[in-house]
Amino acid sequence: MKTVKDYVTDIPDFPEPGIIFRDITSVIGDADGLKLAVDEMQAMLDGVKFDAIAGLESRGFLFGMPIAYNLGKPFIPVRKKGKLPRETVSASYELEYGTAEIEVHKDDVKPGMRVVLIDDLIATGGTLCAAAQLFEQLGASIAKIVCLLELKGLDGRSRLEGYPVDTVIAYDGK
């Protein structure tokens, strides 16, 4: 029986020499791989009490939406700044060269709400940390963070300390 890892395509020396890019388009491009990935991520929520799923743009949408649908939970999109039409609240985070901002619709988040954050990847943890802080700023709490992949060599978990975090696949390198 295949695992999700069997569907991930490793691309050596992309985007630069020495880096192995973990391509998930081969996971979502195969019906069995997609189902397996969604099912395994969803299973990580067994026993977790939460009110909504928030997916980070854009690949967090790919996994967060079907999980929210399967569990009968609302989905809250976390988008790059300037993409949401109603009143928003934003948080900024550090990139390798500069900063970026993410935002949510202010009225999508209620005080006391317990939210699960879904994304495809934990790398440096910056985007997920900013998303968690954004929800907390609005009075919500983070019930869990679930990602398909983790690049342990980038130490993103250290930025997510204090949050329950699970990943389907953890790679030792970058």
Side-chain angles (χ1 to χ4, degrees), residues 65-129:
M65 284 288 297
I67 295 170
Y69 175 83
N70 288 342
L71 298 177
K73 300 288 185 178
F75 180 81
I76 301 171
V78 179
R79 305 253 0 230
K80 295 173 184 163
K81 186 156 182 71
K83 301 291 185 179
L84 294 171
R86 301 190 319 264
E87 183 181 359
T88 61
V89 176
S90 64
S92 62
Y93 59 99
E94 298 285 322
L95 297 170
E96 188 174 353
Y97 302 103
T99 61
E101 282 188 76
I102 54 173
E103 59 188 10
V104 297
H105 281 133
K106 185 176 181 179
D107 60 354
D108 283 350
V109 184
K110 311 291 185 258
M113 180 181 265
R114 294 181 48 80
V115 177
V116 170
L117 296 179
I118 303 276
D119 205 359
D120 68 320
L121 174 69
I122 299 174
T124 64
T127 310
L128 283 163
C129 184

Side-chain angles (χ1 to χ4, degrees), residues 56 102 117 125-134 136 145 159-160 163:
L56 281 67
I102 54 173
L117 296 179
T127 310
L128 283 163
C129 184
Q133 292 170 353
L134 182 58
E136 290 170 340
I145 297 172
R159 294 184 78 177
L160 302 172
Y163 299 110

Side-chain angles (χ1 to χ4, degrees), residues 2 9 13 17 26 36 38 48 62 65 67 105 112 154 160-161:
K2 287 180 108 173
T9 302
D13 299 322
S26 51
L36 189 58
V38 169
V48 176
L62 299 173
M65 284 288 297
I67 295 170
H105 281 133
L154 295 175
L160 302 172
E161 195 171 319

Side-chain angles (χ1 to χ4, degrees), residues 2-8 24-41 63 148 168-169:
K2 287 180 108 173
T3 67
V4 176
K5 193 171 187 177
D6 295 326
Y7 291 96
V8 175
I24 66 157
T25 61
S26 51
V27 176
I28 63 174
D30 184 287
D32 293 332
L34 176 60
K35 181 173 180 1
L36 189 58
V38 169
D39 289 350
E40 288 196 25
M41 291 174 79
F63 301 107
L148 184 65
V168 175
I169 305 166

Side-chain angles (χ1 to χ4, degrees), residues 14 18-22 151-155 171-174:
F14 182 84
I19 301 292
I20 300 174
F21 184 81
R22 311 298 181 170
L151 303 177
K152 293 168 81 174
L154 295 175
D155 197 31
Y171 294 99
D172 288 328
K174 297 180 180 180

